Amino acid sequence: MGLLDRFRRKPKPGVLRTASSNDTGHLEEWAAARHGVEAFVEPKTTVTETTVVLVAHDGEWTRRRIDGTDGAKKFARKLGMPIYDAGIVGYPQRMRDYTARQKKRPNAS
């Protein structure tokens, strides 16, 4: 443990963590490395803040926190990708297919 570690703020139990620049940075890098990426916004719940799921052309996906629905729309507009409300349209079949393929793969360890 470093000298300053004890002074760093730790999240309080029961307090939701909000989106950070690390979350947004991950989403930007992930989208830049893939094509055909679409965004699906997931609403805030009692246990998680608003999240966005990015889904690539092949179904590969990633999820991170985002600063609300408006933040997700701004993010998608900035990157020029379509954005959908996951609660209304659901998730694309290619995402479910990708997840199923990953479960069938033998462990690489």
Side-chain angles (χ1 to χ4, degrees):
M1 177 158 87
L3 179 61
L4 298 177
D5 286 347
R6 69 179 61 177
F7 298 108
R8 290 197 178 121
R9 289 184 181 213
K10 293 184 180 168
K12 295 177 184 175
V15 175
L16 298 179
R17 184 176 74 81
T18 58
S20 70
S21 59
N22 289 342
D23 294 323
T24 307
H26 168 79
L27 293 169
E28 289 175 357
E29 289 175 17
W30 194 91
R34 289 152 183 86
H35 65 279
V37 177
E38 297 175 318
F40 294 84
V41 179
E42 300 173 316
K44 178 179 176 177
T45 68
T46 57
V47 293
T48 61
E49 287 291 336
T50 302
T51 53
V52 66
V53 177
L54 300 185
V55 182
H57 79 286
D58 63 352
E60 183 181 3
W61 60 276
T62 189
R63 173 186 287 121
R64 291 291 186 275
R65 290 172 182 88
I66 195 100
D67 290 326
T69 303
D70 290 338
K73 290 176 184 176
K74 183 179 176 183
F75 173 81
R77 192 171 34 249
K78 175 183 171 185
L79 297 182
M81 69 176 62
I83 185 166
Y84 307 99
D85 183 328
I88 295 173
V89 301
Y91 299 100
Q93 184 63 46
R94 69 182 185 276
M95 179 182 170
R96 292 188 292 278
D97 294 343
Y98 177 85
T99 301
R101 286 192 308 270
Q102 296 307 304
K103 287 181 181 178
K104 290 180 183 178
R105 291 178 59 195
N107 291 339
S109 12

